[in-house]
C-alpha cells in the first residue's frame, strides 16, 4: 500500500503553504516452505514474515537458586546462575534447547515507512521541515556485552548496563541486563526476545529557515536534528548489532545564496 498526498494553497499574495505526506505499508508472509509434518506450529515459517527473527522466548531473569531448580533445564554451556536469562519451554519437554525456538517480534525491515513535511512562504521569509519515520520493525542487540563476546575480549561497559543490571545487591528480575560475567556467557547471549527491541522511530530529517532580500537569500538549515524512539541505546535506523556503525551526522549550517 503506497499513499502520497500533497496540498498547495495560496492563502494570500504574501502567504503560500505547501504540505506533503506519504505512507508505505508492505507486509509479506511465507506461503509455502517444505517443512516436516511433525514440526511444531510455533517453529513453522509458513505465515511468518521473510525477515522475522528466530530465537528463544525470554521470561525475565532467575531470581535465585530455587527459581533455577524449579525451572526446566537449560544448558547452553556453563552453569546457570541467579541473574541469568530464563527461557520458555515451548514444547513442554522440560528441556530448553533449539527445539524451543520461534519467530520473534516484527521483521527487521520496516513494514511501515512514512513522511510528513511542509513549506511556508510568507513575504520575504520561507520555512520548511520534513519528518520521516518507520513502524512495525524490530532490531536485535548482539556483540554489545561488556568484557567479551565469543571471539574477542576487552570490551567496555555501556552506561545502561552499568546503571541497570542484575546483581546480588539489587537482584531485580526485570533488570535491563543480566548478571555481569567476565567470561563469555553462552546462556545470556542466545538470540532471544530479551534482546529484540522495537526499532521504530520518528526523525526530524530536515528543517530550514530563510530570508530573501532582492537577489540575496540567507538561511539557517539543519538535518537529523532529533529522533523520537522507544529504543534509546543507539540510533535505531542503524539496525541490529551493537551500535558501533558510523552514525548519521547531525548537521547545522548557515548559508548565503545569491542569484545572478
Amino acid at each position: 500500500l503506497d499513499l502520497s498526498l500533497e496540498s498547495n494553497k495560496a492563502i494570500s499574495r504574501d502567504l503560500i503553504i505547501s504540505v506533503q505526506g506519504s505512507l508505505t505499508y508492505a507486509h509479506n508472509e511465507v506461503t509455502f516452505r517444505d517443512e516436516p509434518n511433525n514440526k511444531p506450529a510455533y517453529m513453522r515459517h509458513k505465515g511468518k514474515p521473510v525477515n522475522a527473527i528466530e530465537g528463544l522466548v525470554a521470561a525475565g531473569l532467575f531470581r535465585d537458586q530455587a527459581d533455577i531448580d524449579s525451572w526446566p533445564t537449560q544448558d547452553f554451556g556453563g552453569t546457570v546462575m541467579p541473574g541469568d536469562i530464563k527461557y520458555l519451554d515451548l514444547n513442554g519437554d522440560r528441556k530448553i534447547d533449539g527445539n524451543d525456538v520461534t519467530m520473534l517480534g516484527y521483521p527487521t525491515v520496516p513494514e511501515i515507512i512514512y513522511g510528513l513535511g511542509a513549506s511556508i512562504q510568507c513575504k520575504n521569509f520561507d520555512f520548511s521541515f520534513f519528518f520521516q519515520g518507520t513502524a512495525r520493525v524490530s532490531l536485535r542487540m548482539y556483540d554489545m556485552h561488556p568484557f567479551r563476546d565469543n571471539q574477542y575480549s576487552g570490551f567496555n561497559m555501556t552506561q545502561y548496563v552499568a546503571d541497570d543490571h542484575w546483581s546480588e545487591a539489587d537482584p531485580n528480575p526485570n533488570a535491563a541486563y543480566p548478571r555481569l560475567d567476565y567470561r563469555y556467557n553462552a546462556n545470556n547471549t542466545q538470540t532471544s526476545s530479551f534482546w529484540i527491541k522495537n526499532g521504530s522511530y520518528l526523525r526530524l530529517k530536515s528543517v530550514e529557515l530563510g530570508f530573501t532580500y532582492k537577489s540575496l537569500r540567507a538561511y539557517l538549515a539543519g538535518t537529523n536534528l532529533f529522533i523520537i524512539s522507544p529504543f534509546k541505546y543507539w540510533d535505531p535506523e542503524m539496525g541490529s548489532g551493537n551500535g558501533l556503525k558510523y552514525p548519521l551526522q547531525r548537521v547545522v549550517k548557515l548559508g548565503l545564496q545569491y542569484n545572478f
Side-chain angles (χ1 to χ4, degrees), residues 66-210:
D67 192 10
I68 297 174
D69 294 340
S70 65
W71 200 257
T73 302
Q74 51 187 61
D75 183 9
F76 298 102
T79 303
V80 177
M81 299 177 63
D84 283 343
I85 302 174
K86 60 181 178 180
Y87 305 107
L88 295 184
D89 177 18
L90 298 185
N91 63 356
D93 64 355
R94 299 293 297 175
K95 181 180 179 181
I96 299 169
D97 53 22
N99 293 317
D100 297 294
V101 168
T102 188
M103 306 298 171
L104 304 171
Y106 290 112
T108 55
V109 176
E111 291 191 335
I112 295 176
I113 300 175
Y114 59 94
L116 176 65
S119 61
I120 301 172
Q121 181 77 42
C122 183
K123 294 185 178 180
N124 290 21
F125 289 92
D126 62 271
F127 175 72
S128 63
F129 66 87
F130 181 73
F131 285 93
Q132 73 171 36
T134 64
R136 294 178 65 88
V137 58
S138 294
L139 60 82
R140 180 170 74 91
M141 300 172 67
Y142 61 87
D143 288 346
M144 33 57 69
H145 306 287
F147 312 131
R148 67 177 295 116
D149 64 10
N150 60 342
Q151 290 184 313
Y152 307 105
S153 61
F155 287 6
N156 292 324
M157 183 185 295
T158 52
Q159 189 63 52
Y160 94 91
V161 175
D163 292 341
D164 190 9
H165 66 273
W166 188 98
S167 65
E168 293 184 359
D170 183 20
N172 178 11
N174 299 311
Y177 195 88
R179 69 179 177 92
L180 300 181
D181 196 333
Y182 69 92
R183 299 160 298 186
Y184 174 65
N185 191 320
N187 181 86
N188 292 342
T189 54
Q190 295 293 310
T191 300
S192 75
S193 58
F194 195 91
W195 306 114
I196 306 301
K197 306 297 181 179
N198 184 350
S200 61
Y201 67 86
L202 174 65
R203 182 192 305 278
L204 178 57
K205 189 63 179 178
S206 64
V207 62
E208 184 168 328
L209 174 64

Side-chain angles (χ1 to χ4, degrees), residues 3-23:
L3 299 175
S4 179
L5 297 174
E6 182 174 354
S7 176
N8 298 284
K9 180 69 173 179
I11 306 299
S12 66
R13 181 178 178 181
D14 295 324
L15 180 60
I16 302 173
I17 298 176
S18 176
V19 179
Q20 309 87 31
S22 64
L23 172 68

Side-chain angles (χ1 to χ4, degrees), residues 33-47:
R33 182 167 176 170
D34 190 8
E35 298 178 291
N37 293 329
N38 61 350
K39 192 173 186 178
Y42 64 83
M43 296 184 71
R44 291 182 178 273
H45 290 79
K46 183 178 180 180

